[in-house]
Amino acid sequence: NGDAQAGEQKAVMCVACHGANGKASVPVYPNLAGQNEKYLEHALQAYKKGERSGGQAEIMKAYISGLSDEDISNLAAYYSSMKP
Amino acid sequence: NGDAQAGEQKAVMCVACHGANGKASVPVYPNLAGQNEKYLEHALQAYKKGERSGGQAEIMKAYISGLSDEDISNLAAYYSSMKP
């Protein structure tokens, strides 16, 4: 499992769209707060691997391209730890 | 916007994995309760259009293949109306 505190450090690039509290600022973006950790990890990896297209997928891929597998696990732990 | 009551009728095929209360039964699946309606609609359409692959994407595509755009809107309304 990831390290939520380390994830918080990496989440600075996520907050513009997904909110400081994990509630999306734009209705077409997903809330992340309280989402299942394993699903968040899967979804981030799917964007990174190019398994998602359309919508904001290219933007997500660009953001995630610089993240390690550990960073991704930590982000997943951080958002899943938030109150939905 | 979709019709949450009509969505509930269609959601019988979703509950095995996403839970009767919109909380996933398996950690690698996403919770849907309280998720943004527009995001849910986008995600369902993305699966239907084949814009997602890997993980359970083929299963989601198969489930969604028989749903109309209206069904998808209604399902999004139903799950977004649930308490997260």
Side-chain angles (χ1 to χ4, degrees), chain A residues 23-75:
Chain A
K23 309 288 169 62
S25 57
V26 177
V28 78
Y29 301 156
N31 299 325
L32 304 180
Q35 186 53 276
N36 289 327
E37 181 173 354
K38 290 298 171 198
Y39 174 71
L40 290 173
E41 188 171 1
H42 162 78
L44 286 164
Q45 290 285 0
Y47 284 117
K48 188 177 183 184
K49 288 187 270 186
E51 292 180 345
R52 293 185 174 189
S53 61
Q56 305 300 309
E58 289 304 318
I59 290 168
M60 284 295 296
K61 188 177 178 182
Y63 272 110
I64 296 165
S65 63
L67 298 179
S68 67
D69 289 349
E70 189 177 358
D71 292 335
I72 286 173
S73 295
N74 295 344
L75 280 169

Side-chain angles (χ1 to χ4, degrees), chain A residues 39 42-43 46 50-53, chain B residues 18 28-30 43-65:
Chain A
Y39 174 71
H42 162 78
E51 292 180 345
R52 293 185 174 189
S53 61
Chain B
H18 292 288
V28 78
Y29 301 156
L44 285 165
Q45 290 285 359
Y47 284 117
K48 188 177 181 184
K49 288 188 270 187
E51 292 180 348
R52 292 186 173 188
S53 60
Q56 305 299 309
E58 289 304 317
I59 289 168
M60 284 296 295
K61 188 177 178 183
Y63 272 111
I64 296 164
S65 63

